[in-house]
Amino acid sequence: MTKTPFFDASLFSKDNVNTSRQLEVDLVKVLAILTMVLVHVFEFSFTIDDVGKTVPMWLTLIIEFCGGPLSAPLFMTAMGVGMAYARKQDALTYASRGKILIRQGYDLNFWRGGLLYLVIYTITKSDSSLFYVVQGMLVLDILHFAGMTFLFLALLKLLKMKPGQILLVGIVMEVIATLMPPVAADSVLGAGVLGLLFFQNQYTTFPLFSWFIYPAIGYFFGHMLLRVTDKKRFYQRILIAATGVFIAYTGVLIALRYDLTEIFLGHGYYAQGVLRATWILPICALVYSLFYFVSPVVKGKGKRLAEFISSKVNDIYIAQWILITWTCTILAEYTAPTVGSMIALVCIITVLSVALAYGRSRRDGRFFKYKK
């Protein structure tokens, strides 16, 4: 491997030597799922009118930051690392996995949105509830994105692309996504189809072109990690590089009077684009580095719990969404949310989601029955 400003050949072996489970990656997934539960409960409990009143602005910004750079981007980069470490990496396996994830995405749409609004429509006979049944079924979420990522990587595998080339494809796609305006923002069906590829509206949360950069760089990073001979030095250099890039880029944005909160607030977060991704990726790198240096203190039951959550992250994600939508909708009919009740609900739903995932792993009964 040729020398670069931050890495040299002495850090890497020609063969895969670092093939065991990577605890820092497990910890990244744990953080991602916790921040997802936090931001989902928050956004289902409060409206924009509550910000500054029921919920202080500073707390809103912290929660939205956690649900932004520290949530989906971390989850997606970790997914890319996992793909690099997978035993089977052929196109057929990737395509099969992709189809399963997309099916899970639409099944989740039914259980958390379609069925919920169908029940509301049955009770209220409201035409708007019937509209939300359709809209709830067409919401595009991170499971749809994960499925599209596996399908797209299956294609790139057929083209025999290497990790570096796949990363380059991800960069090009990000540029295209930045320049591509929504063309079906006002069409529920159109957005539900085109939104798989490009951002259309708030219901197309993770379009492939906008977000592929994260699993692509995770896949590239995973292949680097496989050949690392000195992880401590490797992560030290990543920490230095990521800190430098983040500080410099943030300084440029501040000098240009750009509002940094726009990167993770509002629907623009889902559109991503070069500006947002360039700010978020160094944060992801910082988290990986910091978790590597923290990981030695995570031992015994804590380590096993982190490994379990990491291995069952899809089940936990599905469980938390179903619990959140139904619980928050029912509670809203009887009580006004507070910051305290939100925090309590986050803790309860997190524990229940992990417990349900554990139950699924212990017996055949499960939310969705798919062959692995």
Side-chain angles (χ1 to χ4, degrees):
M1 181 176 289
T2 57
K3 290 186 178 181
T4 70
F6 301 107
F7 303 104
D8 59 75
S10 65
L11 273 175
F12 303 95
S13 167
K14 292 181 179 179
D15 302 314
N16 293 341
V17 294
N18 191 33
T19 57
S20 61
R21 194 173 189 96
Q22 306 300 299
L23 181 55
E24 68 273 17
V25 180
D26 289 333
L27 293 175
V28 163
K29 289 185 180 181
V30 171
L31 175 62
I33 202 68
L34 290 175
T35 52
M36 282 182 182
V37 175
L38 173 64
V39 75
H40 291 160
V41 171
F42 172 73
E43 292 182 349
F44 254 80
S45 299
F46 301 102
T47 66
I48 190 67
D49 294 332
D50 294 317
V51 176
K53 300 174 183 177
T54 308
V55 186
M57 176 58 76
W58 64 267
L59 181 59
T60 299
L61 292 177
I62 291 175
I63 292 173
E64 290 293 343
F65 177 81
C66 289
L70 301 185
S71 188
L74 282 179
F75 179 84
M76 292 173 183
T77 55
M79 180 177 72
V81 175
M83 296 169 86
Y85 270 75
R87 290 192 299 271
K88 294 183 178 180
Q89 299 194 30
D90 59 283
L92 183 61
T93 300
Y94 276 11
S96 176
R97 179 62 175 156
K99 289 187 292 184
I100 289 173
L101 286 165
I102 291 175
R103 285 175 60 192
Q104 285 181 326
Y106 286 110
D107 279 344
L108 175 58
N109 281 354
F110 172 75
W111 289 108
R112 71 170 173 184
L115 180 61
L116 174 62
Y117 286 110
L118 189 59
V119 171
I120 294 174
Y121 171 74
T122 302
I123 297 171
T124 65
K125 302 299 181 182
S126 168
D127 291 340
S128 62
S129 297
L130 190 59
F131 170 77
Y132 284 123
V133 171
V134 178
Q135 192 170 65
M137 288 300 300
L138 292 175
V139 167
L140 298 175
D141 204 346
I142 202 166
L143 288 174
H144 302 85
F145 167 78
M148 291 294 292
T149 296
F150 272 91
L151 290 175
F152 187 58
L153 271 176
L155 174 61
L156 299 185
K157 282 285 184 179
L158 288 175
L159 297 175
K160 301 187 183 302
M161 284 195 174
K162 297 180 179 179
Q165 294 171 317
I166 291 173
L167 176 57
L168 181 59
V169 168
I171 294 172
V172 172
M173 290 171 68
E174 194 66 34
V175 173
I176 294 173
T178 304
L179 301 175
M180 179 68 70
V183 296
D186 297 326
S187 169
V188 174
L189 181 59
V193 175
L194 292 177
L196 288 167
L197 298 176
F198 297 102
F199 177 79
Q200 302 300 316
N201 56 34
Q202 66 268 33
Y203 302 105
T204 58
T205 51
F206 299 106
L208 181 66
F209 272 70
S210 296
W211 289 85
F212 183 72
I213 184 65
Y214 294 103
I217 203 166
Y219 188 71
F220 179 79
F221 173 75
H223 279 278
M224 292 178 66
L225 194 59
L226 278 166
R227 297 188 291 122
V228 167
T229 56
D230 187 343
K231 284 184 68 177
K232 182 178 180 181
R233 193 154 59 100
F234 177 67
Y235 276 112
Q236 283 175 339
R237 296 190 177 193
I238 288 179
L239 185 63
I240 293 170
T243 302
V245 171
F246 178 73
I247 292 174
Y249 188 58
T250 300
V252 170
L253 292 179
I254 292 174
L256 295 174
R257 299 183 183 279
Y258 183 83
D259 183 359
L260 295 177
T261 62
E262 289 187 9
I263 296 177
F264 54 88
L265 286 178
H267 304 319
Y269 166 72
Y270 296 116
Q272 279 297 293
V274 173
L275 186 150
R276 289 179 172 86
T278 304
W279 192 74
I280 291 173
L281 282 168
I283 296 175
C284 294
L286 285 169
V287 172
Y288 275 86
S289 302
L290 293 173
F291 274 173
Y292 167 74
F293 292 109
V294 169
S295 61
V297 304
V298 182
K299 300 177 181 179
K301 292 182 179 179
K303 181 179 179 181
R304 291 196 296 273
L305 178 61
E307 291 175 350
F308 172 78
I309 292 175
S310 175
S311 65
K312 300 298 179 183
V313 68
N314 282 359
D315 293 341
I316 295 170
Y317 181 80
I318 291 170
Q320 60 93 31
W321 253 131
I322 296 172
L323 289 170
I324 288 170
T325 51
W326 285 82
T327 302
C328 289
T329 301
I330 293 171
L331 288 178
E333 295 295 318
Y334 298 100
T335 183
T338 65
V339 173
S341 66
M342 178 198 70
I343 294 173
L345 196 57
V346 168
C347 296
I348 292 169
I349 288 177
T350 300
V351 172
L352 283 176
S353 299
V354 174
L356 287 168
Y358 178 76
R360 180 185 186 274
S361 69
R362 297 284 294 180
R363 61 182 187 276
D364 291 333
R366 57 189 64 181
F367 294 110
F368 308 111
K369 295 182 180 180
Y370 294 107
K371 293 181 180 179
K372 293 184 178 180

